[in-house]
Amino acid sequence: MTERYVLDLQEVDETQVAVVGGKGAHLGGLSRIEGIRVPAGFCVTTDAFRRIMAEAPSLDDRLDQLSRLNPDDREAIRTLSAQIRRTVEGIAIPDDLTAAITRALARLGEQAAYAVRSSATAEDLPTASFAGQQDTYLNVVGPTAILQHVSRCWASLFTERAVTYRQRNGIDHRTVHMAVVVQRMVFPHASGILFTADPVTGNRKVATVDAGFGLGEALVSGLVNPDVFKVRHGEVVAKAIAAKQRAVHALPTGGTQEVAIDSRRQEQPALTDAQVVRLVQLGRRIEAHFGRPQDIEWCLVDDGFQIVQSRPITTLFPVPETGDRENHVYVSVGHQQMMTDPMKPLGLSMWQLTAMVPMHTAGGRLFVDVTRRLASPASRAGLLDVMGRGDPLVRDALETVLDRDDFVPSLPDAGPGGPPTGGASATIETDPAIVTELIERSQVSIAALERDIRAKTGPALFEFLLEAFAEHKRVLSDPLSMQAIMAGMEATWWLNDTLQEWLGEKNAADTLTLSAPDNVTSEMGLALLDVADVIRPHSEVVAFLQGVEDEGFLDELAKLEGGTEARDAIQAYLDRYGMRCVGEIDITRPRWRERPTTLVPVLLDNVRNFEPGAAERRFEQGRRKARQKEQDVLSRLRALPDGDRKAGEAKRMIDRVRTFIGYREYPKYAIVSRYFVYKQALLEEAERLVQAGVLPEKEDIFYLTFQELHDVVRSNQTNDRLIQQRKDAFRSYHALTPPRVLTSDGEAVTGAYRRDDVPAGALIGLPVSAGTIEGRARVILDIAEADLEAGDILVTTFTDPSWSPLFVAVAGLVTEVGGLMTHGAVIAREYGLPAVVGVERATRLIRDGQRIRVHGTDGYVEILP
């Protein structure tokens, strides 16, 4: 019976987290790797912890109280967690448990010095490292002291920091148990941390070693700056030797103390280059064993390395799997589609099946492999040009990779690089009938889809959908549609470049495109103003909407005075635009039709902030400004040498941009319309699976790929464990920031603006809509949380078309993601909002409520005092 309370490190491995916690399991795994030395020791198992917790029945009530606290109520958490710790430390360790621990100590040497280390079951996991959440005690001497520190480790499961971490991450306190590792103390000459991948860039080929004298506590606690070595392909490629003034040493009687380092030794490296390379070789062996990059704590004792901990590095962005050993360069799809959140597996696979180019997944995001295009000089120039016009940070990141001569192979121009990004050359006439025809074609195709899908169920539905995806791609790649999009974009670029050259005016196209016709996304924002006009006169309806929480509220509206008109207006809006939502490229995200409450705050803002008829006035005002701008530009051009020719060319381009730029938004609207039809059919199929007892709930299908769902429908069997793993993984992906450019080495290449024309302290971004505006920053991460006043400036991570109803209510826009032709930029120009996009970390650097000045013409944001 007693043996399960204590297990020798040699008896455990990484599969036994539930028994010995994350740290114990990893140490057991490490001790089995050939050539890796781990200090001898044993684990006091989670059975011992459960036995202790059962000794104090009062703990049950306290854990209940704790789980009900708000994670932000720090005072209550501090008080209650301290009571729990005192109770745990006060429990007498039962005799049989004491005997098991002292027997293990006798085997290793009773009077030796030991490290007593917490090892929780929710620690050092692939998805959450919990590093530093619980306690470690060094140089503990004698059985009495060791037993006391084992109790302290148990209690450290309830430090304020650990409790808050669990609550924020939705982890139940009762499901986490504490084991304790007791290990022979090592007295190192030097110690530190080895990352088998660069923790800053993510590069898996570069290992980083931090080293200092004495015990590693000096580095971990931030007492000294370490020496830092970087190793690639078995050689030290960079090093920075720090002045190490202090170290932590063990005392003969137990415990540790800080000591000053002799001034002659301070600047000496803690390790030689040869030792660093040897350490990294050991690290690579450990990494291979655990199958992923590791964060390793090491000690140097008599010229030999001992490993005292290894855990996965959880902050690294994963690398797409290719199955080859070639170099690859990936560009983020999310940064172009204005959706950098993680997507669920069904969302990823549906986008892959309907996209025009092959896409790879990593970390719940999509990437396109551009290696072949970069390898051939002809396609490289086109790719860099299009990327640079869209998002200069992507172009700069790609150029950074190209500057490393050896990473991207060089192919002859005839290589199978595919056409340069940018699609068909725009050789069509400037004729509005082309846009009308394209929109009609799209509507006919969607109507046919809605009609034909109705009768399809079971495996036949999936066969039908695969045909529908082929039609989806055909519509998307319609040469005429591509030409219309390119015509609008190229005319914009021509006007901006040429008018800057001829008239010295930046971003002139921004004003010339105001209220362009046929822009379905800007119409959507204005149409919600019209809905507000219907609601505004009916005070009962307005009051009712202020308290709405239930998605079925539209049915309730009809009971109120003016409610029928209000319901019909909202319903008509949802019929036209209800397939949209934030993050709409992920089919699994709830659409407005499914969650109409999302729109209520924006609708109420419109009721409060606008007068009747605002939509029409707004559109007309934009059209007038664009017309005035056109007359102004043309008359200034006529006054130049060769002015009539220049004015004639400019007029042709202005007509062209106004004809085609609005259509730029239509293909996305069509995609999302089709997506909603697919989704409704798949959810009906999911409902059948739930009825048949195959799935517990409908939305579980979101965690399967399209192909896996097809298999489930065919076999009427599902893998519950797979769905649970996918849910856990999806949760963990939220903590990762997707890079604009990622290499197969795992390096996240961020890119820089490289500009010196902005004031010190300003936040640099990309100018996408001209003008300068000052106002109150509203940092809004969820459209349903919007609460805007006239003159506010919207600051957010990204805006896709679903945000355009907010654009009518704000005076300016700042986003972290975006380019010149992404949706937020196009709509900002449509509405005449000064906008700067691609501002790194804007939502963290700008605080909600601060006054800021947005320089939409020059591309920077100032935070005002």
Side-chain angles (χ1 to χ4, degrees):
M1 184 69 184
T2 54
E3 276 319 298
R4 59 185 193 153
Y5 291 140
V6 172
L7 290 171
D8 194 273
L9 271 182
Q10 301 281 338
E11 296 177 73
V12 299
D13 64 22
E14 57 270 30
T15 62
Q16 287 163 280
V17 173
V19 183
V20 294
K23 190 176 293 168
H26 271 84
L27 283 167
L30 282 166
S31 63
R32 291 161 176 245
I33 306 172
E34 198 181 331
I36 302 297
R37 289 167 58 202
V38 175
F42 60 88
C43 300
V44 182
T45 66
T46 52
D47 283 345
F49 172 75
R50 274 190 285 267
R51 168 93 184 267
I52 290 295
M53 293 295 278
E55 297 278 322
S58 68
L59 285 171
D60 250 9
D61 294 342
R62 291 200 173 142
L63 286 179
D64 280 342
Q65 281 174 273
L66 197 58
S67 60
R68 286 197 294 270
L69 292 179
N70 181 324
D72 296 322
D73 189 348
R74 296 188 51 180
E75 198 47 53
I77 288 177
R78 186 176 300 132
T79 308
L80 193 51
S81 56
Q83 286 174 5
I84 294 173
R85 286 199 304 281
R86 275 198 303 276
T87 306
V88 173
E89 284 189 44
I91 296 168
I93 301 179
D95 292 347
D96 56 340
L97 187 42
T98 302
I101 294 170
T102 46
R103 265 203 305 279
L105 283 171
R107 282 200 299 276
L108 289 173
E110 223 168 69
Q111 289 312 309
Y114 288 87
V116 182
R117 314 171 72 191
S118 310
S119 178
T121 54
E123 183 177 43
D124 295 349
L125 306 178
T127 54
S129 82
F130 283 69
Q133 294 298 327
Q134 283 89 32
D135 295 344
T136 284
Y137 302 97
L138 299 177
N139 203 28
V140 184
V141 180
T144 309
I146 286 167
L147 287 166
Q148 186 189 356
H149 284 86
V150 167
S151 280
R152 283 190 186 169
C153 283
W154 288 329
S156 77
L157 191 61
F158 303 102
T159 60
E160 183 190 345
R161 194 174 49 188
V163 165
T164 307
Y165 187 95
R166 287 197 292 273
Q167 281 181 273
R168 288 198 192 289
N169 286 277
I171 296 164
D172 181 351
H173 301 298
R174 291 166 193 281
T175 61
V176 184
H177 299 116
M178 181 65 85
V180 182
V181 176
V182 180
Q183 266 179 301
R184 281 291 293 256
M185 188 71 194
V186 290
F187 301 100
H189 160 74
S191 59
I193 298 162
L194 155 64
F195 296 98
T196 64
D198 188 318
V200 179
T201 67
N203 193 326
R204 310 305 202 261
K205 299 257 175 85
V206 175
T208 302
V209 175
D210 289 6
F213 294 121
L215 290 167
E217 295 311 288
L219 298 191
V220 176
S221 64
L223 180 65
V224 295
N225 288 330
D227 296 339
V228 180
F229 302 86
K230 290 197 182 293
V231 175
R232 188 185 174 106
H233 301 318
E235 62 174 312
V236 175
V237 291
K239 61 179 161 183
I241 306 305
K244 298 168 289 295
Q245 291 163 348
R246 308 189 73 67
V248 173
H249 283 189
L251 292 168
T253 52
T256 60
Q257 77 173 65
E258 278 179 41
V259 294
I261 295 175
D262 182 318
S263 58
R264 286 164 306 194
R265 275 186 69 215
Q266 286 180 8
E267 309 254 346
Q268 274 183 6
L271 295 178
T272 65
D273 283 9
Q275 286 171 327
V276 170
V277 169
R278 199 163 85 233
L279 174 61
V280 169
Q281 284 167 344
L282 295 176
R284 292 281 177 230
R285 201 175 290 179
I286 293 168
E287 179 183 63
H289 174 83
F290 288 119
R292 53 191 304 159
Q294 297 288 303
D295 160 355
I296 297 165
E297 291 177 28
W298 56 268
C299 295
L300 177 67
V301 188
D302 304 329
D303 201 38
F305 287 103
Q306 300 219 19
I307 305 299
V308 293
Q309 184 154 348
S310 183
R311 55 167 149 324
I313 309 176
T314 56
T315 53
L316 297 177
F317 200 85
V319 182
E321 286 173 24
T322 54
D324 64 30
R325 318 248 359 218
E326 307 289 313
N327 287 348
H328 294 270
V329 182
Y330 302 98
V331 172
S332 158
V333 173
H335 285 81
Q336 334 249 291
Q337 289 294 341
M338 306 306 286
M339 160 60 179
T340 52
D341 291 347
M343 294 167 70
K344 295 189 179 115
L346 186 64
L348 291 166
S349 68
M350 293 286 277
W351 194 262
Q352 284 175 302
L353 286 164
T354 50
M356 301 311 300
V357 291
M359 291 190 177
H360 304 263
T361 66
R365 275 74 167 194
L366 291 162
F367 293 87
V368 172
D369 186 342
V370 295
T371 323
R372 300 301 284 270
R373 286 197 200 137
L374 285 177
S376 147
S379 58
R380 179 190 309 150
L383 178 75
L384 290 175
D385 183 48
V386 170
M387 290 291 173
R389 285 184 182 279
D391 183 343
L393 292 178
V394 172
R395 179 182 181 134
D396 188 74
L398 290 173
E399 286 175 335
T400 303
V401 176
L402 286 167
D403 285 345
R404 298 174 193 156
D405 298 336
D406 56 344
F407 194 80
V408 177
S410 224
L411 292 175
D413 279 346
T421 311
S425 151
T427 51
I428 51 174
E429 292 302 305
T430 303
D431 179 1
I434 292 175
V435 173
T436 312
E437 184 197 334
L438 284 167
I439 290 173
E440 274 173 14
R441 275 191 210 174
S442 173
Q443 287 169 338
V444 166
S445 170
I446 291 166
L449 171 68
E450 286 175 321
R451 185 188 63 236
D452 297 344
I453 204 168
R454 277 191 200 121
K456 305 287 189 287
T457 62
L461 169 67
F462 287 81
E463 275 131 43
F464 171 80
L465 281 171
L466 288 170
E467 288 168 30
F469 297 162
E471 164 69 0
H472 181 122
K473 285 174 145 176
R474 193 194 63 70
V475 172
L476 264 189
S477 60
D478 179 340
L480 190 62
S481 176
M482 305 283 270
Q483 287 175 325
I485 292 169
M486 287 311 294
M489 283 164 61
E490 284 172 0
T492 305
W493 296 335
W494 187 94
L495 285 165
N496 279 338
D497 294 348
T498 312
L499 296 182
Q500 180 155 8
E501 186 190 326
W502 287 348
L503 299 175
E505 187 169 339
K506 283 184 183 173
N507 300 356
D510 294 1
T511 313
L512 293 166
T513 52
L514 288 173
S515 299
D518 298 312
N519 187 321
V520 68
T521 309
S522 63
E523 284 165 11
M524 176 169 82
L526 296 174
L528 202 62
L529 287 175
D530 290 336
V531 178
D533 286 355
V534 175
I535 288 167
R536 196 178 291 108
H538 305 294
S539 53
E540 238 187 293
V541 172
V542 174
F544 170 77
L545 288 175
Q546 278 160 346
V548 152
E549 283 176 8
D550 179 17
E551 297 302 344
F553 73 92
L554 287 174
D555 299 333
E556 298 295 307
L557 268 178
K559 300 171 188 169
L560 308 173
E561 192 182 330
T564 309
E565 298 93 307
R567 182 198 60 198
D568 293 349
I570 295 172
Q571 194 57 62
Y573 185 86
L574 290 172
D575 288 344
R576 175 105 213 257
Y577 304 110
M579 76 296 284
R580 308 222 86 149
C581 67
V582 172
E584 60 193 10
I585 71 167
D586 181 353
I587 198 170
T588 73
R589 297 284 277 256
R591 312 281 136 178
W592 291 344
R593 285 257 294 273
E594 297 168 308
R595 269 200 208 156
T597 53
T598 312
L599 287 173
V600 171
V602 192
L603 197 46
L604 289 170
D605 280 349
N606 286 354
V607 168
R608 190 178 68 243
N609 294 335
F610 291 92
E611 297 291 314
E616 199 177 335
R617 273 199 307 281
R618 199 68 190 273
F619 189 75
E620 208 33 64
Q621 212 177 347
R623 205 156 54 184
R624 221 176 19 253
K625 269 194 196 159
R627 228 182 357 253
Q628 283 165 354
K629 183 70 175 176
E630 177 180 335
Q631 287 161 359
D632 168 56
V633 162
L634 296 178
S635 67
R636 283 161 62 201
L637 287 174
R638 286 192 195 99
L640 298 175
D642 197 15
D644 284 348
R645 179 188 64 80
K646 286 175 177 166
E649 278 186 52
K651 171 68 176 144
R652 276 196 300 282
M653 283 301 179
I654 291 168
D655 289 347
R656 199 161 176 78
V657 86
R658 289 195 68 77
T659 300
F660 292 116
I661 202 66
Y663 177 72
R664 160 87 179 77
E665 291 293 297
Y666 202 86
K668 181 84 173 270
Y669 173 78
I671 290 171
V672 176
S673 300
R674 296 180 77 89
Y675 259 35
F676 192 50
V677 180
Y678 306 152
K679 181 179 189 178
Q680 287 171 303
L682 290 172
L683 282 174
E684 280 172 28
E685 205 54 47
E687 184 57 51
R688 278 189 282 277
L689 292 170
V690 171
Q691 298 298 329
V694 178
L695 280 180
E697 48 193 71
K698 270 200 313 195
E699 298 202 341
D700 283 351
I701 66 165
F702 296 163
Y703 296 93
L704 298 170
T705 64
F706 181 81
Q707 191 52 57
E708 288 165 348
L709 180 53
H710 190 177
D711 294 341
V712 168
V713 167
R714 263 201 299 249
S715 66
N716 265 340
Q717 286 180 317
T718 186
N719 180 342
D720 295 339
R721 240 186 73 230
L722 175 70
I723 290 174
Q724 192 50 53
Q725 281 170 349
R726 295 272 176 81
K727 286 179 179 178
D728 293 342
F730 177 70
R731 245 200 319 275
S732 75
Y733 294 152
H734 282 279
L736 300 173
T737 303
R740 281 176 167 80
V741 171
L742 178 68
T743 73
S744 46
D745 286 353
E747 185 178 0
V749 192
T750 47
Y753 284 109
R754 310 197 188 281
R755 286 171 49 191
D756 49 17
D757 58 343
V758 296
L763 310 180
I764 301 178
L766 182 65
V768 294
S769 184
T772 301
I773 192 79
E774 250 182 58
R776 176 179 71 151
R778 292 313 316 270
V779 180
I780 297 174
L781 302 179
D782 178 352
I783 190 171
E785 306 291 310
D787 178 16
L788 296 164
E789 299 291 342
D792 283 349
I793 296 168
L794 174 62
V795 180
T796 188
T797 38
F798 57 79
T799 61
D800 58 13
S802 71
W803 286 75
S804 66
L806 287 193
F807 283 22
V808 296
V810 296
L813 173 71
V814 179
T815 67
E816 293 181 349
V817 175
L820 201 55
M821 283 296 167
T822 44
H823 300 274
V826 173
I827 304 307
R829 289 194 288 274
E830 277 279 316
Y831 287 163
L833 298 180
V836 180
V837 302
V839 179
E840 295 277 78
R841 298 174 55 236
T843 59
R844 279 168 279 181
L845 296 171
I846 299 170
R847 285 198 313 279
D848 187 50
Q850 271 183 324
R851 284 195 73 73
I852 59 173
R853 188 181 296 129
V854 177
H855 295 262
T857 311
D858 294 311
Y860 63 92
V861 180
E862 290 178 284
I863 298 175
L864 302 175

